[in-house]
Amino acid sequence: MASGVNGAKLQILIYHRVLPCKDPLQPSEPDTQEFAWQMDILARYFNVLPLEEALLALQNDDLPPRAAAITFDDGYADNLHLALPILEAKGVHATIFVAPGYLDGGIMFNDRVQESLRDYNGSALDLSELGLAEPLSLHDAQSRRAAINTVINAIKYLPPAARTEAASKIVELTGAAIPEDLMLSTAELKTLGTANVTIGAHTMNHPILATLDEHAAKAEIYDSKKRLEEILQKPVSLFAYPNGMPGKDYTQTQVEIVKSAGFSAAVSTSTGYSSRNSNMFELNRFTPWDKTPGKFLLRLLKNYI
């Protein structure tokens, strides 16, 4: 490995999904074409390392210049079927943080909301019983996208059971057919576990940890590690906080639980790079958003300045 210098920076990128084609309701999610040129740029101009390897090099002052690590959150099936072939073709490694409570047909609350409002035939939807004063406009893709964000933001911080109930109520009101194959199956996770990727934990059921009492938070964190290790038959040492904003989505109480569970490092969604002085249990990450190769490259390079 090329010798690093004291003060070197590690850029950890966040992804969630890679889609077969662009989705007007998920404009920030790359399709396979966009993801391929992004990975090509990373492979050509950056030193992309497995996250664990990068963190060890960071602590040992041996991080190469323009060091980067790629991460995915949640455990979508397209991580295996669409992202992995591109990662392998470009020769880059990724860490995939999985919430095992959604394996084998589960679906996260935000996807329930999105798929419900995607399929609803009406041009407006009254959700006053969920506390939304104004009917949601659904007359085009832009208004549907805005409505999805409104509903997700309205219920995201509810206690987990209430959040699930609210999302299920929206499914009932819209009569939507909810897909059962968005998330990985256990068999698909095992396949990923044998590929050149690292599997990390993302709690069992993706709650906002700060809304839980200590016992419930401990169960979510400890059980996710245990379940993934049972499936993969190997250690799981990396963790990602759901939603991930420090002080809002998790607190120091949950950071200490993650440490006590035996993880070696954890990532947040606080933006920026990580350095040797970073807290290894609250590492920063960056979400790429530029839609042209030139701007994408310049944005990543600027992050090292």
Side-chain angles (χ1 to χ4, degrees):
M1 177 183 294
S3 177
V5 294
N6 195 16
K9 299 174 181 179
L10 171 65
Q11 191 165 189
I12 306 172
L13 280 68
I14 313 175
Y15 290 92
H16 291 83
R17 303 191 61 186
V18 174
L19 305 176
C21 57
K22 293 302 290 183
D23 181 354
L25 297 187
Q26 302 179 84
S28 63
E29 300 288 3
D31 62 8
T32 52
Q33 182 179 6
E34 183 178 347
F35 186 69
W37 63 249
Q38 290 180 352
M39 294 305 102
D40 184 58
I41 286 173
L42 283 161
R44 291 172 61 190
Y45 297 106
F46 299 87
N47 288 297
V48 181
L49 304 172
L51 182 54
E52 282 184 302
E53 181 181 325
L55 295 177
L56 181 61
L58 189 64
Q59 293 172 306
N60 291 335
D61 279 337
D62 193 31
L63 195 69
R66 300 185 307 282
I70 299 164
T71 65
F72 285 82
D73 284 4
D74 300 334
Y76 287 95
D78 55 55
N79 294 180
L80 170 66
H81 300 296
L82 299 180
L84 182 62
I86 295 169
L87 293 167
E88 291 179 332
K90 305 300 181 181
V92 293
H93 184 282
T95 297
I96 299 175
F97 293 104
V98 176
Y102 294 103
L103 296 172
D104 302 313
I107 184 168
M108 298 173 66
F109 87 95
N110 53 298
D111 289 316
R112 283 183 182 273
V113 172
Q114 177 175 274
E115 298 309 313
S116 294
L117 299 188
R118 180 196 301 277
D119 288 345
Y120 185 61
N121 289 328
S123 60
L125 181 64
D126 182 359
L127 292 180
S128 56
E129 62 183 284
L130 298 181
L132 297 177
E134 298 293 330
L136 298 170
S137 174
L138 303 171
H139 65 275
D140 59 14
Q142 183 177 354
S143 62
R144 285 179 188 256
R145 187 165 66 244
I148 289 165
N149 291 334
T150 295
V151 175
I152 289 174
N153 289 333
I155 69 176
K156 179 186 292 185
Y157 289 92
L158 293 174
R163 188 176 71 178
T164 298
E165 181 180 354
S168 297
K169 183 64 176 178
I170 295 168
V171 174
E172 178 184 333
L173 289 171
T174 60
I178 300 302
E180 298 180 351
D181 58 354
L182 286 182
M183 312 308 288
L184 292 162
S185 68
T186 299
E188 288 170 331
L189 177 59
K190 288 180 178 178
T191 299
L192 267 180
T194 64
N196 185 33
V197 300
T198 298
I199 303 299
H202 199 34
T203 70
M204 280 297 294
N205 301 293
H206 204 280
I208 302 297
L209 286 169
T211 68
L212 305 182
D213 62 36
E214 189 169 349
H215 175 77
K218 187 173 183 178
E220 283 284 342
I221 293 165
Y222 273 66
D223 290 355
S224 65
K225 187 177 195 295
K226 179 181 178 182
R227 180 61 184 136
L228 290 171
E229 290 178 341
E230 287 173 347
I231 293 170
L232 300 170
Q233 292 296 296
K234 58 184 177 182
V236 171
S237 61
L238 299 175
F239 182 83
Y241 301 98
N243 222 52
M245 288 304 297
K248 181 179 182 181
D249 301 319
Y250 71 91
T251 69
Q252 286 304 304
T253 297
Q254 289 91 49
V255 173
E256 293 304 316
I257 294 172
V258 170
K259 292 179 182 178
S260 70
F263 292 100
S264 63
V267 294
S268 71
T269 58
S270 185
T271 192
Y273 62 83
S274 295
S275 70
R276 190 184 181 193
N277 296 325
S278 297
N279 182 341
M280 289 296 112
F281 288 88
E282 292 189 84
L283 295 161
N284 296 331
R285 291 191 289 173
F286 170 72
T287 301
W289 70 84
D290 292 293
K291 298 303 180 183
T292 63
K295 288 184 177 180
F296 179 85
L297 174 59
L298 288 174
R299 181 86 58 192
L300 295 184
L301 290 173
K302 184 179 179 181
N303 288 346
Y304 292 98
I305 299 174

